[in-house]
Amino acid sequence: MKHSKPFLSPQILSFLFLILLFSFPVQSEPKPEETKSLIVETNTEIVSDFLWRGNSFVGESQNRRNGAAYQSFTYAPALQPSINVWSPEKKFQWSLFGNFQLTNRDDIDSDKRILQSRPGGVGPSYLGEETKFYDPYNQDPCVQSLHNKISTGAEGSDPCLGYSPNQGYGPKKEPNGNKRADGLFFSMSYHFDPSSLGEFAVGIWFYNTFQKTPNSLLSPGTQKQNPNVSGGPNNTFNANNPNAISRLTWHEYFVHWQLPFLKKFKPTISYFTQYSTENGGLMAGKNYLSFSGSYTFREEKFFRIMPHFNLGYAMGNNAVDNRYGIQDITTSTSFFFGDFFIKFAHIFRPDLYLWDTNNYYGYAGGDPNKAHWNRSSEDGKVTNPSRVYGAYNTSILNAIEQIDTGNSLRDAYVKTWLRETYTLQNIPAHLFYVSLGYSKTF
């Protein structure tokens, strides 16, 4: 019996299989695209003073705390770490900035009154001081009684249960420690794609202190009254009243526009509008317009030099004074040594009338009863903190108030002239600070 041959032999099948195999394009598995990671920029500085936009957030309050004159350079060092986190495409940016004061952190007795029932309360600055000078509104009869008993040596029962310098009636610590300036800044922004018009970014930022600070006062309708704080019926904004202060909560919207020319100098116009209502609502609605730029010499080198410039214009310094003008001209130069740097900065405040107000420096000694001590907002002068408190200053100011020539009108002019000559000082138009830091990008 014969068997027919198969139509396709095994050799022919193998050959056809190979042709079929190689006739299709060889496709390998697609490689997954590499995911871009976040960009993290860190910066840590130790600054000699916390200055920004011409504002002194610590140095000037430290002068009031210590009873020192305002100066162009104040040593109030702080640690300021910051971190910027960028999305992989550098569209979204999140920033954190902290301020932590390193010296003079504790509250101290700044009004130097020897008898008080509460911080900032009325009381004599020296034994024998007349009641009409230290308690003109009769706010604390107990302090008056104790002072009379101690200064005259009178005997008899004590209506105020004894004199205790550290617990009851004695010097008190006012809310003035630099720790009250410790705070955290948070910002988030979106950067649009560059175009022929330049680069735009929009965002919002918040700055909040961790503790209550005299630099941020509650509105009279919400604060707790302190019946003994000096100032009588006008004591609602007494910065020495712990119940009249709150945390600083400063919030702003902003727009940045980096111009499309001279790009190596990074010319940028920025607009900020404040919507927070700290300081009794005085600062809400304040606007700040700035023009800034910077340039780095020897970029990508170990040793680099970066000058920076900012011109800031205030459109309404606060809701009450509503003054417009150049708020600050800030220039700085940073010298980089690898990731380390040292920076020298100068702030010029050309329009001092923006600052010549009780709504910035506060009342003399924080006392609303002394609001008239800064009569003029056009002379570039404010009350010198070193000429307000203490037995020496108080005795001189009381002597001025006792002048009596028989002509009340003339006496008023003489008293005002002598008091202002003794207590007023020029507002520093130039401020300086220096910082040491380390920056790193991951």
Side-chain angles (χ1 to χ4, degrees):
M1 179 175 180
K2 290 184 179 179
H3 297 278
S4 62
K5 276 189 175 182
F7 179 73
L8 293 175
S9 65
Q11 291 83 358
I12 295 175
L13 287 173
S14 299
F15 177 74
L16 292 175
F17 176 76
L18 290 174
I19 292 176
L20 185 64
L21 178 64
F22 286 100
S23 65
F24 289 95
V26 178
Q27 295 183 352
S28 60
E29 287 190 15
K31 293 183 179 179
E33 293 185 4
E34 293 184 6
T35 57
K36 296 180 180 179
S37 59
L38 296 174
I39 302 171
V40 180
E41 300 169 340
T42 62
N43 190 84
T44 304
E45 289 185 70
I46 295 179
V47 299
S48 60
D49 192 5
F50 186 8
L51 300 170
W52 186 56
R53 291 187 186 173
N55 294 282
S56 173
F57 289 91
V58 182
E60 290 173 341
S61 61
Q62 177 177 287
N63 291 331
R64 291 189 286 272
R65 170 189 185 271
N66 296 340
Y70 297 122
Q71 300 176 6
S72 291
F73 181 86
T74 302
Y75 184 66
L79 174 66
Q80 295 183 339
S82 63
I83 181 171
N84 288 322
V85 179
W86 293 83
S87 64
E89 299 80 14
K90 299 204 77 172
K91 293 292 186 66
F92 291 96
Q93 179 185 5
W94 299 269
S95 300
L96 284 174
F97 163 88
N99 181 78
F100 306 94
Q101 293 303 129
L102 301 177
T103 60
N104 295 311
R105 293 184 54 83
D106 295 332
D107 295 338
I108 64 171
D109 174 25
S110 58
D111 59 22
K112 302 176 182 178
R113 292 169 180 154
I114 58 177
L115 285 173
Q116 288 178 294
S117 59
R118 300 185 185 184
V122 297
S125 297
Y126 54 89
L127 291 178
E129 183 178 3
E130 294 184 57
T131 303
K132 66 178 182 180
F133 293 126
Y134 70 83
D135 192 4
Y137 301 103
N138 196 35
Q139 291 177 251
D140 202 333
C142 190
V143 164
Q144 296 178 30
S145 174
L146 279 173
H147 175 236
N148 180 65
K149 179 178 177 63
I150 294 172
S151 58
T152 62
E155 297 181 358
S157 61
D158 186 348
C160 297
L161 304 178
Y163 168 60
S164 177
N166 298 319
Q167 299 177 2
Y169 296 90
K172 302 295 183 182
K173 295 179 180 180
E174 279 68 50
N176 51 29
N178 284 355
K179 64 184 178 182
R180 298 178 180 275
D182 291 356
L184 185 66
F185 172 100
F186 173 71
S187 171
M188 51 186 176
S189 58
Y190 179 80
H191 296 252
F192 295 91
D193 290 329
S195 69
S196 59
L197 297 177
E199 300 180 28
F200 292 87
V202 296
I204 186 172
W205 65 257
F206 312 82
Y207 183 76
N208 299 278
T209 55
F210 301 132
Q211 302 188 45
K212 291 182 176 182
T213 167
N215 294 328
S216 187
L217 298 172
L218 288 168
S219 59
T222 57
Q223 69 184 24
K224 295 180 181 179
Q225 294 294 313
N226 184 339
N228 303 119
V229 172
S230 59
N234 299 316
N235 71 356
T236 51
F237 272 94
N238 194 307
N240 294 323
N241 176 8
N243 295 323
I245 63 177
S246 65
R247 295 169 58 221
L248 173 61
T249 54
W250 188 357
H251 306 162
E252 288 186 340
Y253 297 110
F254 63 85
V255 177
H256 296 318
W257 176 25
Q258 188 169 321
L259 304 177
F261 50 84
L262 299 175
K263 293 184 178 181
K264 64 180 180 179
F265 296 105
K266 300 180 179 64
T268 303
I269 296 175
S270 301
Y271 174 74
F272 301 83
T273 183
Q274 182 171 344
Y275 67 93
S276 52
T277 59
E278 84 283 0
N279 205 19
L282 288 176
M283 311 308 290
K286 177 180 177 180
N287 299 302
Y288 180 83
L289 181 67
S290 72
F291 175 70
S292 62
S294 64
Y295 179 74
T296 302
F297 294 94
R298 296 171 52 85
E299 196 165 6
E300 305 298 333
K301 303 290 186 180
F302 176 81
F303 175 68
R304 308 178 301 282
I305 302 175
M306 187 183 73
H308 180 270
F309 165 84
N310 181 83
L311 170 65
Y313 185 82
M315 292 174 282
N317 60 338
N318 59 65
V320 175
D321 299 314
N322 199 32
R323 300 172 185 174
Y324 287 52
I326 298 176
Q327 181 165 313
D328 71 294
I329 301 175
T330 300
T331 56
S332 66
T333 302
S334 301
F335 299 89
F336 289 86
F337 303 87
D339 295 330
F340 294 90
F341 65 90
I342 180 171
K343 178 166 65 177
F344 301 93
H346 167 241
I347 297 96
F348 175 45
R349 305 191 285 193
D351 293 334
L352 289 178
Y353 70 94
L354 293 173
W355 314 93
D356 190 1
T357 166
N358 288 332
N359 293 318
Y360 175 73
Y361 279 99
Y363 303 110
D367 187 348
N369 202 40
K370 296 183 174 65
H372 63 287
W373 282 28
N374 183 23
R375 291 185 309 125
S376 172
S377 60
E378 304 293 337
D379 60 358
K381 294 183 178 181
V382 291
T383 304
N384 183 339
S386 68
R387 297 293 183 89
V388 179
Y389 290 128
Y392 179 78
N393 289 324
T394 304
S395 61
I396 292 177
L397 294 170
N398 289 347
I400 292 174
E401 289 300 317
Q402 293 185 86
I403 292 176
D404 185 2
T405 64
N407 186 322
S408 58
L409 181 60
R410 179 174 59 194
D411 288 348
Y413 279 112
V414 171
K415 290 177 183 179
T416 299
W417 182 82
L418 288 174
R419 186 191 67 243
E420 292 183 347
T421 300
Y422 183 74
T423 60
L424 296 185
Q425 71 157 96
N426 291 322
I427 298 173
H430 299 270
L431 300 175
F432 301 90
Y433 76 90
V434 62
S435 72
L436 296 171
Y438 175 81
S439 59
K440 190 71 175 177
T441 299
F442 300 94

